[in-house]
Amino acid sequence: LYEGRYHEARDAAGRALERARASGNDVLMAAALNNLGDAERHLGLAGEAIEHLCRAAEIERRLQRDASSANALCELALTYLQTDRIAGAATAADDLVRLLDVKPNELMHPQQVAWVASRVRLAQGDGGAARALARRASLHLDGMVAAIADAEARTAFLALEFNREILAADNAGPPS
């Protein structure tokens, strides 16, 4: 997924989902559904993406793995934004902000969570909340980058799609 090979990622996630179902492992099923939905979002398959991302988030919630649901919620919010379903995006963003407020240290990518929530708030017309969340995203990113000593690893980390977007927004100024 991070290399932009979405057709291949979709195929691989489909195979992983079949294996997870066969083994009955819900954690693996949630991960496969999340990756499948992520690939589908990038391929413009919004209906399928929404279905798979909702199922991934539901499994994570049922397993009480709230922080693990963050990536599915981010992808879900972005899919809703891409299809102008602001109410759905807002619901996902509400969950993201709650996770950011309650479990920031458990999130793998808190900068992504804040960034996606910022984009949703901007789409809702709440510039103040969008700016505050964009600032939180930037601060999380700065702290994470500072903790990566290896230059090659730092470069790879900064190449992640959401990190590139945060840096671009930092250079462009706050959202209006």
Side-chain angles (χ1 to χ4, degrees), residues 8-91:
E8 291 175 41
R10 184 177 187 223
D11 291 343
R15 289 189 304 275
L17 181 57
E18 289 174 18
R19 289 185 183 122
R21 281 188 182 133
S23 72
N25 187 319
D26 285 346
V27 172
L28 294 179
M29 194 173 332
L33 286 164
N34 184 55
N35 288 338
L36 186 57
D38 188 348
E40 290 165 339
R41 178 180 77 81
H42 283 90
L43 292 170
L45 303 171
E48 293 93 332
I50 290 168
E51 176 187 343
H52 293 132
L53 293 165
C54 284
R55 286 177 46 208
E58 287 169 13
I59 292 169
E60 296 289 10
R61 280 190 207 105
R62 181 172 44 80
L63 297 175
Q64 297 180 337
R65 293 169 38 96
D66 291 343
S68 294
S69 71
N71 192 59
L73 290 170
C74 284
E75 293 299 325
L76 185 60
L78 293 172
T79 305
Y80 282 135
L81 282 180
Q82 286 176 340
T83 56
D84 293 321
R85 299 178 197 180
I86 304 303
T91 299

Side-chain angles (χ1 to χ4, degrees), residues 2 6 41-42 75 158-166:
Y2 290 133
Y6 303 116
R41 178 180 77 81
H42 283 90
E75 293 299 325
L158 288 170
L160 295 174
E161 179 181 17
F162 46 85
N163 289 340
R164 289 191 322 264
E165 291 174 357
I166 294 166

